[in-house]
Amino acid sequence: MSILKIYGHPLSRTFRNLWLVEELGIPYENIPVAPGPTGSRLPEFLAINPNGRVPAIDDDGLVLWESLAINFYLAKKHGGPLQPSGIVGEALGLKWSYWAVNEVERPIGLWAKHALVLPEAECQADVRDSAFGELKAPLAVLDKALEAQVWLAEPDRFTVADLNVAAILYRALWADLKQFPRVDKWLRSVWERPAARKIRALRGDLKPEGPLYADSPAPL
Ligand SMILES: N[C@@H](CCC(=O)N[C@@H](CS)C(=O)NCC(=O)O)C(=O)O
């Protein structure tokens, strides 16, 4: 049995998986492959993920890519409190994870690029504001859901569903979420978990002032 290998630099989406394994407390090795031509597009990495993207894992010979699928697999494999219970909990976890990819991931990435990542002279306020405008409808949906429930897939506990959605919303920690007070509270509390703080520290993000990713090989 070989140790779980997680390929991808922590400044890429790979942090989603690093957070999960820190929550699980399982042994792993992170191979910090850079996204793009100097890493994930090289032939040796294309042999692991033919899409040329990170993250990917090798779990004792099982090679998987797609960050959220990896999280569902590892949560289920290792059991414990991160795994939603039963078919309903799993369905809710999938629902919220697909929702985050479809409704949130693109506009939050664009907002972050023009609000946090690019040098100030290259930031376009109109792109930033229209991306935030696009986020308002999904954030309102999440805010409404959090009126009735504390967590996304289980009534009484944090699961992989919360982790996946909070990971996609990570950059919103630097946004003004006053209009979405429940999202604001939930997101901040989730990112204060010890495993999450460890990942923020690893990324060098435990300082709330930008620009955050001047040296980053890839913004999210
Ligand atoms: N849907 C994929 C997206 C992976 C992805 O786009 N990764 C970026 C880094 S965050 C990447 O590897 N980009 C490099 C490239 O496309 O060349 C996932 O969630 O794992």
Side-chain angles (χ1 to χ4, degrees):
M1 180 96 182
S2 54
I3 191 166
L4 169 68
K5 290 191 185 65
I6 302 181
Y7 295 93
H9 195 283
L11 287 176
S12 71
R13 283 168 172 84
T14 307
F15 80 86
R16 299 172 181 178
N17 306 127
L18 296 174
W19 179 9
L20 186 106
V21 291
E22 286 293 337
E23 292 277 353
L24 290 172
I26 56 173
Y28 66 92
E29 179 190 354
N30 179 215
I31 299 108
V33 175
T38 60
S40 63
R41 298 275 162 182
L42 293 174
E44 55 268 35
F45 189 75
L46 289 171
I48 295 168
N49 182 357
N51 300 292
R53 299 181 194 273
V54 286
I57 64 167
D58 182 336
D59 188 24
D60 207 26
L62 172 70
V63 173
L64 270 185
W65 25 264
E66 282 300 330
S67 57
L68 304 189
I70 292 169
N71 278 354
F72 275 108
Y73 162 73
L74 290 173
K76 189 157 191 168
K77 174 171 175 179
H78 294 278
L82 285 192
Q83 172 61 14
S85 57
I87 192 167
V88 173
E90 282 189 34
L92 292 173
L94 288 170
K95 176 187 88 168
W96 281 112
S97 299
Y98 284 125
W99 169 86
V101 169
N102 285 310
E103 306 287 346
V104 175
E105 189 170 47
R106 195 193 55 79
I108 192 84
L110 200 55
W111 175 83
K113 189 171 173 191
H114 288 271
L116 306 170
V117 178
L118 288 175
E120 212 167 315
E122 290 169 40
C123 289
Q124 295 175 37
D126 54 336
V127 177
R128 181 197 63 206
D129 295 345
S130 97
F132 196 75
E134 259 190 77
L135 280 171
K136 286 185 179 174
L139 287 177
V141 168
L142 181 57
D143 207 64
K144 180 87 187 137
L146 291 169
E147 198 179 288
Q149 65 202 67
V150 179
W151 306 109
L152 297 180
E154 288 293 327
D156 56 353
R157 63 187 168 92
F158 172 88
T159 67
V160 62
D162 299 280
L163 190 152
N164 282 348
V165 176
I168 288 178
L169 272 170
Y170 180 48
R171 299 305 186 81
L173 285 174
W174 283 268
D176 179 357
L177 294 179
K178 272 197 293 295
Q179 299 166 71
F180 312 103
R182 294 173 203 92
V183 175
D184 197 29
K185 189 170 166 222
W186 166 84
L187 189 65
R188 284 182 199 290
S189 75
V190 158
W191 273 105
E192 284 304 321
R193 296 171 66 84
R197 284 186 66 85
K198 205 164 163 181
I199 297 313
R200 294 170 73 183
L202 185 67
R203 291 171 52 100
D205 287 352
L206 270 179
K207 43 187 186 306
E209 62 274 3
L212 296 171
Y213 298 105
D215 305 321
S216 163
L220 199 69

